[in-house]
Amino acid sequence: DTTAPVIALNGDANVTHEAGFIYVDANASWADAVDGSGLLDASGQVNVSTPGTYILSYNYTDAANNVAETVTRTVNVVDTTSPVITLTGNPNVIHEAGNFYVDTNASWTDAVDGNGTLVAAGEVNASKPSSYTLSYNYMDAAGNAAQAVTRTVNVVDTTKPVITLSSSSVTISVGGTYSLPTATVADFETLTASV
């Protein structure tokens, strides 16, 4: 027996594989005039967490020590999947004017980069009733941009102003002069004023 076995790939010689997903190789098969045939597992590894080019090889030696010609497969791990942004909290918020606004932010997840927290782009002026839009964006290391997510913050003024008298009761002698007491009004917009 001087005839070397022959190795044939199962599947394509060049494979493009999306990063972050488990890679299952199609393997290869060998055939020999004397020994018969069988399946071959690949030598080498594919790191699905790191985009790049990986070479898998298939080797076989028959019982008579005839070595088959090595066959290889190229696996190109690519990252074309965009990350996903998820809001923390509600997409629509009603916020009472005059109180400091603290945003609950958002989070991102990516098949390759992992996950993290996002701080909003934009501002909320808690001293001015209006509608404000905050946006959250993220781009992964491969340049894939997530679909932007927004939150609407409606600053409203539903708090009544507070009036405080300088004196709640006045005692005047008969024939004396009565002077109106002063009062102050406090409101988040006017702060304080004398009336």
Side-chain angles (χ1 to χ4, degrees):
D1 181 5
T2 60
T3 303
V6 176
I7 298 173
L9 278 178
N10 297 330
D12 297 329
N14 291 286
V15 175
T16 299
H17 181 76
E18 188 65 28
F21 296 90
I22 295 174
Y23 174 75
V24 178
D25 193 61
N27 299 321
S29 58
W30 61 268
D32 184 72
V34 176
D35 295 354
S37 62
L39 292 176
L40 282 176
D41 291 328
S43 296
Q45 292 183 340
V46 175
N47 186 348
V48 297
S49 297
T50 304
T53 300
Y54 300 88
I55 305 297
L56 300 178
S57 60
Y58 308 84
N59 302 282
Y60 183 74
T61 301
D62 68 14
N65 287 323
N66 297 306
V67 179
E69 183 177 345
T70 298
V71 173
T72 61
R73 186 193 322 275
T74 301
V75 181
N76 296 296
V77 176
V78 298
D79 180 8
T80 64
T81 303
S82 297
V84 176
I85 297 173
T86 304
L87 274 180
T88 303
N90 296 322
N92 294 288
V93 174
I94 296 176
H95 181 74
E96 187 64 29
N99 298 307
F100 188 73
Y101 175 75
V102 179
D103 193 60
T104 53
N105 299 322
S107 61
W108 61 267
T109 57
D110 185 71
V112 175
D113 295 356
N115 56 72
T117 300
L118 285 176
V119 177
E123 293 183 356
V124 174
N125 186 348
S127 298
K128 184 178 180 181
S130 187
S131 180
Y132 300 89
T133 300
L134 301 178
S135 61
Y136 308 83
N137 300 280
Y138 181 76
M139 181 178 290
D140 67 14
N144 301 305
Q147 183 175 348
V149 173
T150 61
R151 186 193 323 274
T152 302
V153 180
N154 294 297
V155 176
V156 297
D157 178 12
T158 63
T159 303
K160 296 177 182 179
V162 177
I163 299 173
T164 305
L165 287 172
S166 59
S167 176
S168 60
S169 63
V170 178
T171 302
I172 302 172
S173 300
V174 176
T177 302
Y178 173 72
S179 298
L180 287 172
T182 59
T184 57
V185 58
D187 187 70
F188 93 93
E189 287 187 284
T190 58
L191 297 181
T192 59
S194 296
V195 294

